[in-house]
Amino acid sequence: MTLLAAAIGLTASATALGSPQFVSTFAGTYTAQTPSTPSGFDALATWSDPGEPGGKPKEVDKIKVAFPPGSKLDTTALPTCKASAEDIANLAVRACPAKTKLGEVHGLGVYAGSTAPFNTFATLFNAKRQIIVVVTLDNAKGRLLTDFRDDVRRSSITVNLKVGRGISLIRFQAHVPTHFRKRGRKRKAYYRTPPSCPASGAWTTTVTLSYRDGSTDQHTAPSPCKR
């Protein structure tokens, strides 16, 4: 068993607390700037803690993304993957049809006792009011590390991370392109921007990061829009 494989399954008796030097960041933008328009979105989150051994930050276990008021997420805008957890365990990304792919996430993690980070690649698949997340090592064809399901609501996504204890995320870069399809005269969009642009000239995304030690932090990210 490799050190990485051991770390993925590691169970710790206590959860490490962050030092006063712990820092997290978040930035998020939309590919469309026009109100009531189908759009993709990009997000980048980082974590660091120079005060901890090896710079290992606190372990994040949940990320809630609240999109700007008036935004609309609609999982019926593209086909859904119906794969079970067993299907994914056996087939990894091949468990879901290519037409259900929603986006991807490039990640960087580090495990306790090591200063060498490792790369992860998460493929996102659309499901009914969910996102199926299939995480592999290095790239989409890499060894399966874990899988989990995010909750999708009308204007929010909750990322329910399933990562072994002792592993911390350092970087999380997500990309979801614009998805839409026509049904009759209607055009359904996976994500549609709010119906108006505020006086500030930017839509604001709010992200709440929750950690294994019970703490949370919150960030807001502006994305320009046209009035």
mmCIF file of all heavy atoms in Angstrom, residues 35-59:
data_model
loop_
_atom_site.group_PDB
_atom_site.id
_atom_site.type_symbol
_atom_site.label_atom_id
_atom_site.label_comp_id
_atom_site.label_asym_id
_atom_site.label_seq_id
_atom_site.Cartn_x
_atom_site.Cartn_y
_atom_site.Cartn_z
ATOM 1 N N PRO A 35 -27.947 39.816 -17.018
ATOM 2 C CA PRO A 35 -28.981 39.203 -16.181
ATOM 3 C C PRO A 35 -29.839 38.191 -16.946
ATOM 4 O O PRO A 35 -30.004 38.280 -18.162
ATOM 5 C CB PRO A 35 -29.819 40.405 -15.726
ATOM 6 C CG PRO A 35 -28.865 41.559 -15.768
ATOM 7 C CD PRO A 35 -27.998 41.294 -16.966
ATOM 8 N N SER A 36 -30.361 37.232 -16.209
ATOM 9 C CA SER A 36 -31.270 36.202 -16.731
ATOM 10 C C SER A 36 -30.692 35.458 -17.926
ATOM 11 O O SER A 36 -31.381 35.202 -18.914
ATOM 12 C CB SER A 36 -32.625 36.824 -17.100
ATOM 13 O OG SER A 36 -33.256 37.367 -15.969
ATOM 14 N N THR A 37 -29.414 35.110 -17.824
ATOM 15 C CA THR A 37 -28.705 34.466 -18.925
ATOM 16 C C THR A 37 -28.078 33.153 -18.459
ATOM 17 O O THR A 37 -27.524 33.096 -17.360
ATOM 18 C CB THR A 37 -27.595 35.394 -19.456
ATOM 19 O OG1 THR A 37 -28.175 36.623 -19.876
ATOM 20 C CG2 THR A 37 -26.853 34.758 -20.620
ATOM 21 N N PRO A 38 -28.120 32.093 -19.289
ATOM 22 C CA PRO A 38 -27.376 30.870 -18.944
ATOM 23 C C PRO A 38 -25.898 31.196 -18.777
ATOM 24 O O PRO A 38 -25.327 31.972 -19.545
ATOM 25 C CB PRO A 38 -27.620 29.963 -20.159
ATOM 26 C CG PRO A 38 -28.898 30.440 -20.744
ATOM 27 C CD PRO A 38 -28.887 31.933 -20.537
ATOM 28 N N SER A 39 -25.282 30.612 -17.767
ATOM 29 C CA SER A 39 -23.890 30.944 -17.473
ATOM 30 C C SER A 39 -23.153 29.744 -16.899
ATOM 31 O O SER A 39 -23.747 28.858 -16.284
ATOM 32 C CB SER A 39 -23.830 32.102 -16.475
ATOM 33 O OG SER A 39 -22.495 32.436 -16.150
ATOM 34 N N GLY A 40 -21.857 29.751 -17.101
ATOM 35 C CA GLY A 40 -20.990 28.833 -16.385
ATOM 36 C C GLY A 40 -20.408 29.561 -15.191
ATOM 37 O O GLY A 40 -20.677 30.753 -14.986
ATOM 38 N N PHE A 41 -19.615 28.856 -14.398
ATOM 39 C CA PHE A 41 -18.974 29.526 -13.269
ATOM 40 C C PHE A 41 -17.653 28.866 -12.930
ATOM 41 O O PHE A 41 -17.419 27.690 -13.215
ATOM 42 C CB PHE A 41 -19.888 29.595 -12.036
ATOM 43 C CG PHE A 41 -20.566 28.321 -11.649
ATOM 44 C CD1 PHE A 41 -19.978 27.411 -10.786
ATOM 45 C CD2 PHE A 41 -21.832 28.025 -12.135
ATOM 46 C CE1 PHE A 41 -20.617 26.245 -10.416
ATOM 47 C CE2 PHE A 41 -22.490 26.849 -11.775
ATOM 48 C CZ PHE A 41 -21.874 25.962 -10.914
ATOM 49 N N ASP A 42 -16.771 29.674 -12.368
ATOM 50 C CA ASP A 42 -15.443 29.226 -11.961
ATOM 51 C C ASP A 42 -15.228 29.600 -10.504
ATOM 52 O O ASP A 42 -15.689 30.654 -10.054
ATOM 53 C CB ASP A 42 -14.365 29.891 -12.819
ATOM 54 C CG ASP A 42 -14.429 29.447 -14.270
ATOM 55 O OD1 ASP A 42 -13.879 28.382 -14.572
ATOM 56 O OD2 ASP A 42 -15.037 30.164 -15.087
ATOM 57 N N ALA A 43 -14.526 28.749 -9.777
ATOM 58 C CA ALA A 43 -14.252 29.011 -8.368
ATOM 59 C C ALA A 43 -12.850 28.555 -8.014
ATOM 60 O O ALA A 43 -12.359 27.554 -8.542
ATOM 61 C CB ALA A 43 -15.271 28.288 -7.485
ATOM 62 N N LEU A 44 -12.219 29.307 -7.137
ATOM 63 C CA LEU A 44 -10.891 28.952 -6.644
ATOM 64 C C LEU A 44 -10.841 29.189 -5.140
ATOM 65 O O LEU A 44 -11.107 30.292 -4.667
ATOM 66 C CB LEU A 44 -9.816 29.800 -7.330
ATOM 67 C CG LEU A 44 -8.390 29.650 -6.771
ATOM 68 C CD1 LEU A 44 -7.875 28.235 -6.983
ATOM 69 C CD2 LEU A 44 -7.459 30.664 -7.419
ATOM 70 N N ALA A 45 -10.515 28.137 -4.396
ATOM 71 C CA ALA A 45 -10.346 28.246 -2.946
ATOM 72 C C ALA A 45 -8.950 27.756 -2.580
ATOM 73 O O ALA A 45 -8.432 26.822 -3.201
ATOM 74 C CB ALA A 45 -11.402 27.423 -2.211
ATOM 75 N N THR A 46 -8.340 28.393 -1.591
ATOM 76 C CA THR A 46 -7.021 27.966 -1.119
ATOM 77 C C THR A 46 -7.006 27.958 0.412
ATOM 78 O O THR A 46 -7.754 28.687 1.060
ATOM 79 C CB THR A 46 -5.897 28.887 -1.622
ATOM 80 O OG1 THR A 46 -6.051 30.199 -1.034
ATOM 81 C CG2 THR A 46 -5.911 29.010 -3.137
ATOM 82 N N TRP A 47 -6.118 27.116 0.947
ATOM 83 C CA TRP A 47 -5.936 27.014 2.393
ATOM 84 C C TRP A 47 -4.445 26.921 2.689
ATOM 85 O O TRP A 47 -3.712 26.220 1.983
ATOM 86 C CB TRP A 47 -6.617 25.765 2.941
ATOM 87 C CG TRP A 47 -8.103 25.747 2.797
ATOM 88 C CD1 TRP A 47 -9.021 26.143 3.720
ATOM 89 C CD2 TRP A 47 -8.863 25.279 1.675
ATOM 90 N NE1 TRP A 47 -10.295 25.963 3.254
ATOM 91 C CE2 TRP A 47 -10.230 25.442 1.983
ATOM 92 C CE3 TRP A 47 -8.517 24.751 0.424
ATOM 93 C CZ2 TRP A 47 -11.244 25.085 1.100
ATOM 94 C CZ3 TRP A 47 -9.531 24.401 -0.459
ATOM 95 C CH2 TRP A 47 -10.874 24.576 -0.114
ATOM 96 N N SER A 48 -4.003 27.617 3.734
ATOM 97 C CA SER A 48 -2.601 27.533 4.137
ATOM 98 C C SER A 48 -2.492 27.798 5.632
ATOM 99 O O SER A 48 -3.366 28.432 6.231
ATOM 100 C CB SER A 48 -1.745 28.550 3.366
ATOM 101 O OG SER A 48 -2.163 29.874 3.640
ATOM 102 N N ASP A 49 -1.415 27.282 6.223
ATOM 103 C CA ASP A 49 -1.176 27.505 7.648
ATOM 104 C C ASP A 49 0.315 27.351 7.939
ATOM 105 O O ASP A 49 0.774 26.271 8.325
ATOM 106 C CB ASP A 49 -1.989 26.529 8.498
ATOM 107 C CG ASP A 49 -2.025 26.940 9.969
ATOM 108 O OD1 ASP A 49 -1.176 27.770 10.363
ATOM 109 O OD2 ASP A 49 -2.893 26.442 10.703
ATOM 110 N N PRO A 50 1.096 28.422 7.764
ATOM 111 C CA PRO A 50 2.543 28.355 8.014
ATOM 112 C C PRO A 50 2.896 28.001 9.447
ATOM 113 O O PRO A 50 4.020 27.571 9.723
ATOM 114 C CB PRO A 50 3.017 29.777 7.670
ATOM 115 C CG PRO A 50 1.951 30.354 6.803
ATOM 116 C CD PRO A 50 0.678 29.742 7.284
ATOM 117 N N GLY A 51 1.934 28.154 10.367
ATOM 118 C CA GLY A 51 2.208 27.883 11.773
ATOM 119 C C GLY A 51 2.080 26.422 12.161
ATOM 120 O O GLY A 51 2.382 26.049 13.298
ATOM 121 N N GLU A 52 1.637 25.570 11.231
ATOM 122 C CA GLU A 52 1.477 24.147 11.517
ATOM 123 C C GLU A 52 2.606 23.343 10.873
ATOM 124 O O GLU A 52 3.194 23.775 9.875
ATOM 125 C CB GLU A 52 0.129 23.651 10.978
ATOM 126 C CG GLU A 52 -1.074 24.074 11.807
ATOM 127 C CD GLU A 52 -1.071 23.454 13.187
ATOM 128 O OE1 GLU A 52 -1.019 22.212 13.300
ATOM 129 O OE2 GLU A 52 -1.117 24.214 14.171
ATOM 130 N N PRO A 53 2.946 22.168 11.416
ATOM 131 C CA PRO A 53 4.003 21.338 10.825
ATOM 132 C C PRO A 53 3.749 21.059 9.343
ATOM 133 O O PRO A 53 2.661 20.624 8.971
ATOM 134 C CB PRO A 53 3.923 20.036 11.644
ATOM 135 C CG PRO A 53 3.365 20.468 12.967
ATOM 136 C CD PRO A 53 2.390 21.569 12.643
ATOM 137 N N GLY A 54 4.741 21.359 8.534
ATOM 138 C CA GLY A 54 4.608 21.155 7.096
ATOM 139 C C GLY A 54 3.668 22.130 6.427
ATOM 140 O O GLY A 54 3.368 21.986 5.247
ATOM 141 N N GLY A 55 3.158 23.117 7.185
ATOM 142 C CA GLY A 55 2.207 24.068 6.622
ATOM 143 C C GLY A 55 0.834 23.473 6.377
ATOM 144 O O GLY A 55 0.025 24.048 5.645
ATOM 145 N N LYS A 56 0.543 22.315 7.005
ATOM 146 C CA LYS A 56 -0.728 21.628 6.769
ATOM 147 C C LYS A 56 -1.891 22.398 7.394
ATOM 148 O O LYS A 56 -1.947 22.580 8.610
ATOM 149 C CB LYS A 56 -0.668 20.220 7.358
ATOM 150 C CG LYS A 56 -1.921 19.392 7.141
ATOM 151 C CD LYS A 56 -1.785 18.015 7.799
ATOM 152 C CE LYS A 56 -3.033 17.183 7.610
ATOM 153 N NZ LYS A 56 -4.227 17.777 8.242
ATOM 154 N N PRO A 57 -2.855 22.839 6.574
ATOM 155 C CA PRO A 57 -3.995 23.599 7.117
ATOM 156 C C PRO A 57 -5.057 22.702 7.749
ATOM 157 O O PRO A 57 -4.982 21.470 7.660
ATOM 158 C CB PRO A 57 -4.549 24.310 5.876
ATOM 159 C CG PRO A 57 -4.196 23.408 4.744
ATOM 160 C CD PRO A 57 -2.885 22.767 5.113
ATOM 161 N N LYS A 58 -6.043 23.324 8.365
ATOM 162 C CA LYS A 58 -7.168 22.590 8.931
ATOM 163 C C LYS A 58 -7.873 21.776 7.843
ATOM 164 O O LYS A 58 -7.803 22.109 6.659
ATOM 165 C CB LYS A 58 -8.184 23.554 9.553
ATOM 166 C CG LYS A 58 -7.706 24.245 10.790
ATOM 167 C CD LYS A 58 -8.853 24.985 11.481
ATOM 168 C CE LYS A 58 -9.379 26.151 10.657
ATOM 169 N NZ LYS A 58 -10.395 26.931 11.417
ATOM 170 N N GLU A 59 -8.574 20.746 8.276
ATOM 171 C CA GLU A 59 -9.246 19.852 7.327
ATOM 172 C C GLU A 59 -10.677 20.310 7.074
ATOM 173 O O GLU A 59 -11.524 20.276 7.964
ATOM 174 C CB GLU A 59 -9.218 18.422 7.870
ATOM 175 C CG GLU A 59 -7.802 17.886 8.055
ATOM 176 C CD GLU A 59 -7.743 16.600 8.841
ATOM 177 O OE1 GLU A 59 -8.765 15.875 8.905
ATOM 178 O OE2 GLU A 59 -6.666 16.301 9.410
#
